[in-house]
Amino acid sequence: MASKIIAATVRRSLYPRILTYNRPLSTAAAAVAEPSDETVGISMKGVKISGRPLYLDMQATSPVDPRVLDAMLPYFVSRYGNPHSRTHLYGWESDEAVETARSQVASLINASAKEIVFTSGATECNNISVKGVMHFYKEKKKHVITTQTEHKCVLDSCRHLQQEGFDVTYLPVKSDGLIDLNELRSSIRSDTGLVSVMAVNNEIGVIQPMEEIGQICKEFNIPFHTDAAQALGKIPIDVNKWNVSLMSLSGHKVYGPKGVGALYMRRRPRIRVEPQMNGGGQERGIRSGTVPTPLVVGMGAACELAMNEMEYDGKRVTELKDRLLNGIRAKLDGVVVNGSTESRYAGNLNLSFAYVEGESLLMGLKEVAVSSGSACTSASLEPSYVLRALGVDEDMAHTSIRFGIGRFTTEEEIDKAVELTVNQVVKLREMSPLYEMVKEGIDIKSIQWSQH
Amino acid sequence: MLRHATKRITGLGLAESRLSTPAATRILPRFYHERVVDHYNNPRNVGAFDKNDPTVGTGLVGAPACGDVMKLQIKVDEQTGKITDACFKTFGCGSAIASSSVATEWVKGKQMEEVLTIKNTEIAKHLSLPPVKLHCSMLAEDAIKAAVKDYETKRGKSVASATDKIAEA
């Protein structure tokens, strides 16, 4: 009873603020527009810039929405109880907060709160899903189907399974980045234990045909896992329409905090996994370890905001994407959008600039925080494996840049990004021997290049 | 109190973050030496000579699929064999651009035999290239050699055709 009263008070004191505190915020724009407190400039990694770069890398991570932070702060400083403490008020109020967050996450994906397990992030969810399911059903099922363009953590989990003797089919994708449903159908075997296909690709932003894939999995009665970290709060998700058994979600891609994620696990028909971490049996034994109340509260608040603002955000992001693409296309030729143009999330624009090498372009775009693909692979010199899976020419795969647009991106930032990108591409093309050859009418592909 | 904290946090504690990060980021592969940045921002001798000019040697090395193509050209004084001018165009990362920019600076005013002794390790050392970028300096060395070779082939031909003419006469 006491816990109920406390929880009610907690909720009353939190929610009005979540819903009313609506301060427009664009951290990057503020820094670009007013470099007043940045007169000395920033010098890091040999790069000197006058202010903080404008942020267009929302697929890597997003800022925490201030409204989310407001919801989280009390659980850091005053309501710091362990949600698993059963003997006092601190524990009860934390537990209530965690359960509220659980239902907030659940309602964004049309699931029941009982089907949500909190984890440390989407990587952990993917590990539990891929390895956990296969380990649990290892007596009968020996085969996993996934795609070549999955996130590294799914691919790596699959590699791990292969080493243990499981079979993995890596489905190729078409040139638009989508999988061929017939190919999926024909890859299914009697011992297929899991199909794992990501909803929105992190590098190129294409949306896979989830409902159709779900339908096929239902037909063959195979568990369907999807990594929806990039989809949560951006496109409508319905676990029943998609017929997913497992879904990986992340907090920090939806303006929530880093270090928290959620795994959706279907209850009917029930999907079972072998835990990857053993311990005190928290989260129904699937993910032992103390649930981090403030982070979980943040993820819950972020999901609730996303639910209310998805439509508005979507419209805005689409407008900004069009502004960016049209702005660049108006001044430059040889700009290619990687991946399907129809089935894609607008906030992820992956562009190839012909005859300009991506890394040098990134180096020149130091006032814009963008990436050449995923943060995990951008340290290596290899062109993106996702673009290669699409069959993008290797020389074009070296020229890609991903622009990530989000809730707090402003028109001014987009205009500035267009200006800087165009200037830099023009400068580098003047310096590019390939561009010169093309202007002279030489076909680059006809030249015998000496490979290094 | 919370709002105040929020504002402080979202106001981005620039000073603190700047003080604490450089040491941690220095180990990352994306660190560019000041000289690389300088050559990237102000590349020396970007441009092109007429590749049909008999006094010009052109070296084109690398491949678009590998992400690096370097074109280095030298203009040679036929009497003395001295390189009077050089220019480059490069498709590649910042290190590749800087390596070729340095290469053009170094070959200018030198004898052809002399520039053949320029080693990639010297360029790499000058630019403090990390191991993953060493191929950029190798490419620059190759470009110099290719340019000299191209010039010599051209000259050999022109000398040959000249002697042919004399013989015919």
Side-chain angles (χ1 to χ4, degrees), chain A residues 215-287:
Chain A
Q215 205 52 47
I216 293 174
C217 293
K218 196 173 198 169
E219 211 176 292
F220 290 90
N221 201 17
I222 297 169
F224 174 29
H225 164 250
T226 182
D227 174 1
Q230 299 285 351
L232 185 69
K234 301 190 176 127
I235 59 170
I237 297 178
D238 186 325
V239 289
N240 296 318
K241 263 192 201 154
W242 289 8
N243 187 44
V244 290
S245 304
L246 298 133
M247 181 152 68
S248 307
L249 306 168
S250 175
H252 73 108
K253 316 275 190 195
V254 278
Y255 313 97
K258 295 167 186 57
V260 65
L263 174 65
Y264 161 80
M265 286 180 64
R266 185 172 285 280
R267 277 162 67 88
R268 279 193 197 88
R270 188 170 175 204
I271 181 83
R272 306 189 64 180
V273 298
E274 189 188 275
Q276 301 296 302
M277 191 141 66
N278 305 104
Q282 289 90 346
E283 299 295 280
R284 286 183 285 121
I286 287 153
R287 206 277 187 179

Side-chain angles (χ1 to χ4, degrees), chain A residues 14-309:
Chain A
L14 283 179
Y15 285 94
R17 193 180 296 165
I18 290 188
L19 298 173
T20 53
Y21 183 33
N22 200 346
R23 184 160 60 100
L25 173 129
S26 173
T27 48
V32 170
E34 346 159 347
S36 50
D37 57 340
E38 276 303 319
T39 41
V40 275
I42 301 171
S43 180
M44 198 184 274
K45 295 202 196 181
V47 171
K48 287 193 188 73
I49 34 179
S50 51
R52 292 182 70 83
L54 49 90
Y55 190 79
L56 288 179
D57 201 9
M58 292 296 174
Q59 277 70 41
T61 190
S62 57
V64 172
D65 192 303
R67 293 166 289 181
V68 169
L69 186 66
D70 267 358
M72 287 166 67
L73 282 171
Y75 294 94
F76 279 115
V77 289
S78 48
R79 297 170 202 162
Y80 42 76
N82 184 326
H84 315 296
S85 294
R86 297 273 176 249
T87 51
H88 49 67
L89 181 141
Y90 286 87
W92 303 330
E93 65 185 6
S94 287
D95 185 49
E96 277 282 346
V98 167
E99 292 317 311
T100 310
R102 204 185 295 282
S103 51
Q104 285 168 322
V105 175
S107 56
L108 181 57
I109 57 171
N110 193 26
S112 143
K114 288 176 185 158
E115 297 174 309
I116 302 294
V117 171
F118 284 114
T119 66
S120 67
T123 293
E124 189 182 351
C125 297
N126 285 335
N127 272 273
I128 297 174
S129 304
V130 176
K131 290 191 280 189
V133 167
M134 292 315 286
H135 284 160
F136 193 89
Y137 297 100
K138 63 173 177 267
E139 303 301 322
K140 286 181 192 149
K141 306 290 185 185
K142 282 282 172 202
H143 181 228
V144 183
I145 299 175
T146 185
T147 74
Q148 290 177 354
T149 57
E150 280 313 289
H151 191 270
K152 273 274 156 79
C153 60
V154 171
L155 293 176
D156 211 44
S157 296
C158 289
R159 294 271 140 74
H160 192 83
L161 286 176
Q162 275 179 307
Q163 281 171 1
E164 293 174 18
F166 289 92
D167 264 355
V168 181
T169 301
Y170 299 95
L171 287 178
V173 293
K174 297 177 285 184
S175 61
D176 59 2
L178 302 178
I179 62 163
D180 186 336
L181 294 170
N182 292 325
E183 203 146 355
L184 168 66
R185 197 179 278 273
S186 58
S187 307
I188 292 173
R189 310 191 320 208
S190 58
D191 65 344
T192 302
L194 185 72
V195 171
S196 178
V197 178
M198 77 199 313
V200 173
N201 187 274
N202 56 319
E203 284 197 30
I204 53 175
V206 298
I207 306 170
Q208 298 287 355
M210 301 309 288
E211 282 184 43
E212 288 83 346
I213 299 171
Q215 205 52 47
I216 293 174
C217 293
K218 196 173 198 169
E219 211 176 292
F220 290 90
N221 201 17
I222 297 169
F224 174 29
H225 164 250
T226 182
D227 174 1
Q230 299 285 351
L232 185 69
K234 301 190 176 127
I235 59 170
I237 297 178
D238 186 325
V239 289
N240 296 318
K241 263 192 201 154
W242 289 8
N243 187 44
V244 290
S245 304
L246 298 133
M247 181 152 68
S248 307
L249 306 168
S250 175
H252 73 108
K253 316 275 190 195
V254 278
Y255 313 97
K258 295 167 186 57
V260 65
L263 174 65
Y264 161 80
M265 286 180 64
R266 185 172 285 280
R267 277 162 67 88
R268 279 193 197 88
R270 188 170 175 204
I271 181 83
R272 306 189 64 180
V273 298
E274 189 188 275
Q276 301 296 302
M277 191 141 66
N278 305 104
Q282 289 90 346
E283 299 295 280
R284 286 183 285 121
I286 287 153
R287 206 277 187 179
S288 287
T290 302
V291 170
T293 320
L295 301 183
V296 161
V297 166
M299 180 159 181
C303 285
E304 180 163 317
L305 285 172
M307 187 134 149
N308 298 333
E309 301 186 358

Side-chain angles (χ1 to χ4, degrees), chain B residues 21 38 43 49 52 54 62 76 84 100 134 136 145-146 169:
Chain B
T21 38
D38 178 40
F49 300 142
N52 299 318
V76 186
T84 54
S100 36
L134 285 182
C136 298
K145 290 195 168 132

